[in-house]
Amino acid sequence: MGSRPEAVAPPEIFYDDDTARKYTSNSRNIQIQTSMTERALELLNLPKDGVPKLLLDIGCGSGLSGEVITESGHHWVGLDIAPSMLDIALDREVEGDLLLGDMGQGLGLRFGMFDGAIGISTIQWLCNADKSFHNPHLRLKAFFTSLYKCLTNGARAVFQVYPENDDQRELLSSPAMKAGFSGGIVVDYKDSPKKRKEYLFLVCGQEVPLPLPEGRTEDNDDSGSETNKTVHVLDRRRPWKIQKNNKSEKGREWIKRKKEQMRRRGDDVPPDTKYTGRKRKNHF
Amino acid sequence: MGLLTHNMLSSNIRGVVNGFPLRIEAVKVVEKNVEMNTDFLKNMFEKIDWKAFVEASISMGYTELPKEADSSLLDSDDFLNRFHHALLELHLEEGALVCPETRRRFPVSKGIPHMLLHEDEV
């Protein structure tokens, strides 16, 4: 995978005129971006009734992904934070409308307008705190909450991501679940380190979560078979339920451990005796 | 930026209750040719806030739209042509969008609205 651009600099600085131009003229990059967009559109599973839909392209950049949407016959609106990338999109005369904005500030879009949303290599940028007043959790929350609002009921959103580890996967997906989406992560080519691609797959406003689409594998490029399930399913979190379970485990061992922790912190803790953690009698 | 996008945008500043619709200050308006698709127009008609749409088209210098519209008009080709023209072919190239509550200006240059907020507006 090489170096991660989001580890180098904030997006509006990383994608300066020079990088933006290189990014858009590199044929290998174009090919990768195009194939990922095609896959994302496939996962969106728009009704094939010939009616153009309105899609949102988060982090549209120079419009590589937008062109794929145009080719498949849909209208789109693109949002990006890097002015240099948008300049290139203008030069390339893309069909969609462009907005300069920061997804972490929430999308200022009206309710129920879009039939779907995609983001190619976009939302991992939200995991970084690039400015002193940035808080990744709040920015992700603002983004997913506003995204949920602007999608129509039953619409899907697909984000191609490169999570560094499970923690980042959780960081990205848990605010989406809290915002009301259901879904999970679809992994394509999970056994190939080079071709492996992950997509955060979200469905808006479905009471019963849909089964996740299956990931692609080497031997089965178009449709996965039973043996090739490569998805993680994320449930909506129910903190109150988890808490209830924890209560029963607060026995003697738990108290001892906590007391040990407090001692290490230097607090004044009574010594452990045979009475520690013993249940009080019903009457004094 | 076309009027379709304008009809979706609202001001996202913290504390603003109703940031829609953004008022258009037009300096330069351009027209682009877009192929017409009746199904798409019919689909969008239900989502469009008509009052805001008419006001926006007037501030862009296009006054051919009826003040009130309901879905029965969608059978008229003449109406569809006007609707299509205003929705997709009129583009605000230079100017600004103004938040109705705070009067904050979002400049539009080269057709791109700059919706970035300052630190204290988030």
Side-chain angles (χ1 to χ4, degrees):
Chain A
M1 209 176 291
S3 63
R4 294 174 155 265
E6 64 270 22
V8 179
E12 67 274 29
I13 292 166
F14 181 82
Y15 289 113
D16 56 8
D17 289 344
D18 207 30
T19 319
R21 191 178 43 74
K22 279 185 201 154
Y23 183 90
T24 321
S25 51
N26 179 334
S27 63
R28 168 141 175 79
N29 184 47
I30 293 175
Q31 188 214 328
I32 295 174
Q33 297 286 322
T34 309
S35 73
M36 290 193 298
T37 313
E38 280 164 358
R39 174 69 171 140
L41 283 177
E42 184 189 318
L43 289 171
L44 275 187
N45 194 18
L46 297 163
K48 292 178 182 64
D49 50 9
V51 182
K53 299 284 181 289
L54 186 62
L55 303 183
L56 184 61
D57 186 357
I58 314 272
C60 61
S62 50
L64 291 173
S65 46
E67 276 175 356
V68 180
I69 303 180
T70 306
E71 274 167 32
S72 59
H74 301 293
H75 287 264
W76 56 279
V77 174
L79 175 86
D80 208 286
I81 195 176
S84 304
M85 289 293 255
L86 291 175
D87 278 344
I88 300 223
L90 283 181
D91 289 346
R92 289 154 48 86
E93 297 182 340
V94 294
E95 297 280 330
D97 267 351
L98 304 168
L99 299 171
L100 178 71
D102 181 358
M103 56 179 167
Q105 296 176 340
L107 314 161
L109 296 167
R110 235 160 31 91
F111 286 88
M113 294 298 279
F114 288 91
D115 304 304
I118 61 164
I120 306 299
S121 314
T122 303
I123 53 171
Q124 62 262 34
W125 291 94
L126 280 176
C127 298
N128 295 14
D130 291 323
K131 306 215 166 68
S132 58
F133 53 90
H134 277 185
N135 174 338
H137 290 282
L138 289 181
R139 285 165 61 73
L140 280 160
K141 186 180 161 207
F143 170 66
F144 283 116
T145 319
S146 58
L147 177 71
Y148 188 85
K149 280 185 201 158
C150 78
L151 292 176
T152 55
N153 199 5
R156 300 175 178 198
V158 177
F159 298 99
Q160 183 271 324
V161 284
Y162 292 116
E164 280 172 64
N165 46 39
D166 274 339
D167 284 349
Q168 201 173 34
R169 250 172 232 128
E170 177 66 24
L171 176 67
L172 284 171
S173 50
S174 84
M177 301 302 140
K178 278 180 194 153
F181 287 105
S182 56
I185 291 176
V186 178
V187 187
D188 280 0
Y189 309 113
K190 66 166 181 176
D191 298 326
S192 154
K194 276 215 161 144
K195 281 178 83 179
R196 183 190 168 98
K197 295 279 179 303
E198 298 190 21
Y199 299 86
L200 180 60
F201 172 85
L202 303 172
V203 183
C204 183
Q206 288 273 349
E207 278 302 307
V208 187
L210 293 172
L212 281 177
E214 283 165 20
R216 285 186 188 170
T217 50
E218 289 292 348
D219 19 280
N220 205 340
D221 250 22
D222 282 305
S223 57
S225 62
E226 280 301 304
T227 47
N228 287 328
K229 282 202 171 166
T230 52
V231 291
H232 309 256
V233 181
L234 297 156
D235 249 338
R236 277 191 220 190
R237 285 289 145 111
R238 292 182 183 167
W240 49 273
K241 234 179 183 177
I242 295 164
Q243 260 177 14
K244 245 186 197 169
N245 288 344
N246 279 351
K247 248 180 199 168
S248 57
E249 288 160 20
K250 283 185 185 174
R252 194 178 152 82
E253 286 307 305
W254 183 84
I255 292 172
K256 273 186 157 174
R257 206 174 63 238
K258 282 286 168 192
K259 283 171 97 173
E260 192 52 46
Q261 273 178 8
M262 286 161 82
R263 258 180 225 120
R264 262 184 269 131
R265 273 211 307 259
D267 289 355
D268 195 14
V269 182
D272 291 342
T273 64
K274 62 178 180 178
Y275 301 109
T276 304
R278 199 183 271 189
K279 236 186 149 188
R280 215 185 278 280
K281 274 186 182 155
N282 286 340
H283 54 88
F284 289 111
Chain B
M1 180 201 64
L3 288 186
L4 173 60
T5 310
H6 170 263
N7 211 279
M8 294 180 293
L9 273 181
S10 67
S11 158
N12 201 20
I13 301 170
R14 187 178 58 191
V16 168
V17 182
N18 190 6
F20 180 83
L22 296 162
R23 199 160 48 77
I24 294 181
E25 285 179 6
V27 176
K28 188 178 163 204
V29 176
V30 293
E31 291 182 18
K32 295 178 185 172
N33 271 329
V34 180
E35 207 178 311
M36 187 160 136
N37 184 312
T38 321
D39 289 332
F40 180 70
L41 289 177
K42 285 179 181 164
N43 227 343
M44 283 330 285
F45 181 79
E46 286 157 24
K47 295 183 181 177
I48 291 286
D49 181 311
W50 190 260
K51 190 164 162 276
F53 181 56
V54 173
E55 274 169 23
S57 70
I58 290 172
S59 57
M60 302 264 279
Y62 185 74
T63 51
E64 310 281 308
L65 289 172
K67 280 264 179 310
E68 306 275 327
D70 58 61
S71 47
S72 64
L73 280 171
L74 286 171
D75 296 329
S76 136
D77 280 347
D78 180 46
F79 172 77
L80 280 178
N81 278 330
R82 292 178 194 181
F83 182 38
H84 169 74
H85 179 72
L87 188 70
L88 297 169
E89 295 191 325
L90 283 180
H91 283 259
L92 180 64
E93 189 74 2
E94 301 286 335
L97 302 173
V98 183
C99 168
E101 265 188 44
T102 57
R103 308 270 159 234
R104 154 83 143 91
R105 287 177 90 248
F106 297 98
V108 178
S109 80
K110 290 188 275 183
I112 301 179
H114 291 218
M115 302 305 290
L116 285 172
L117 300 178
H118 301 307
E119 181 183 347
D120 53 349
E121 294 170 335
V122 181

